[in-house]
Amino acid sequence: MPANAIRIIGGQWRGRRLRFPNAPDLRPTPDRVRETLFNWLGQDLTGKVTLDPFAGSGALSLEALSRGAAHAVAVDRDPQLVHALATAAAKLGTQALETHCADARAFLAKDTRAYDVIFLDPPFSEDAWTQLLPAAAARLAKGGMLYVEAPAPIAAPAGLTIWRRDKAGQVHYHLLRHAGMG
């Protein structure tokens, strides 16, 4: 598969390949990590609303929609990536992907919606966890889950706890939920 393509690994669009432009700092979540993440989340995301503030290739948003998510919000500051995501959604025949060309921090500060799943996967060259984690946590719906990919293990922000974590190569990935959930 070309370096600038992803394959959807589950759900209604399983096996579909989608292309995206080359961009600096772009690290699409590898298939193996996505598979683990969606096993953790449960394969069926029917009715869920997701947010991906660093959408990049759009792999996580499109995977969520493929698995039944009702709506996915994908944000990226690169207009070419946002256009490619909108094009991919059109090719898949879905109206459920909402795209925004914006800075993730600014979007998180302005957007007031609550999300069932938030995918937080910023460029590893940025070390903005002290701002990003609480901002994302503030957008989580009751019972929601926050997925985090980082170059090192992260600490859960106030009110959240790390439910699952793993490592693949240089990527540490975590699934957080509200503290006190059973």
Side-chain angles (χ1 to χ4, degrees):
M1 187 167 17
N4 59 342
I6 59 159
R7 180 177 58 89
I8 296 177
I9 58 173
Q12 65 176 331
W13 304 319
R14 181 182 182 160
R16 295 284 300 265
R17 285 173 164 54
L18 302 166
R19 299 182 64 75
F20 55 89
N22 289 323
D25 288 331
L26 188 63
R27 262 182 320 88
T29 302
D31 287 8
R32 188 170 69 110
V33 173
R34 271 188 287 137
E35 183 132 16
T36 299
L37 166 61
F38 284 94
N39 283 337
W40 288 350
L41 290 172
Q43 296 293 327
D44 184 3
L45 298 182
T46 299
K48 305 281 188 200
V49 178
T50 69
L51 170 64
D52 190 353
F54 296 91
S57 70
L60 296 174
S61 291
L62 294 170
E63 195 75 54
L65 289 171
S66 182
R67 295 164 188 260
H71 193 72
V73 177
V75 180
D76 202 280
R77 62 183 170 209
D78 184 325
Q80 285 187 305
L81 291 173
V82 173
H83 177 73
L85 260 169
T87 301
K91 280 183 183 170
L92 293 169
T94 183
Q95 308 276 310
L97 181 70
E98 175 186 327
T99 58
H100 295 271
C101 188
D103 175 77
R105 288 164 204 74
F107 186 87
L108 283 166
K110 282 191 319 197
D111 189 57
T112 58
R113 293 175 283 187
Y115 296 92
D116 299 302
V117 181
I118 298 175
F119 304 111
L120 198 57
D121 181 14
F124 282 3
S125 60
E126 298 181 20
D127 186 17
W129 295 110
T130 54
Q131 181 189 7
L132 283 175
L133 287 170
R139 301 278 54 90
L140 263 189
K142 183 178 169 102
M145 304 289 258
L146 172 60
Y147 171 74
V148 178
E149 261 184 49
I154 58 126
L160 295 183
T161 185
I162 295 175
W163 184 53
R164 299 268 195 273
R165 70 169 62 200
D166 207 343
K167 181 177 188 256
Q170 301 303 306
V171 177
H172 292 261
Y173 54 106
H174 317 73
L175 193 60
L176 291 78
R177 61 184 184 178
H178 291 283
M181 279 182 61

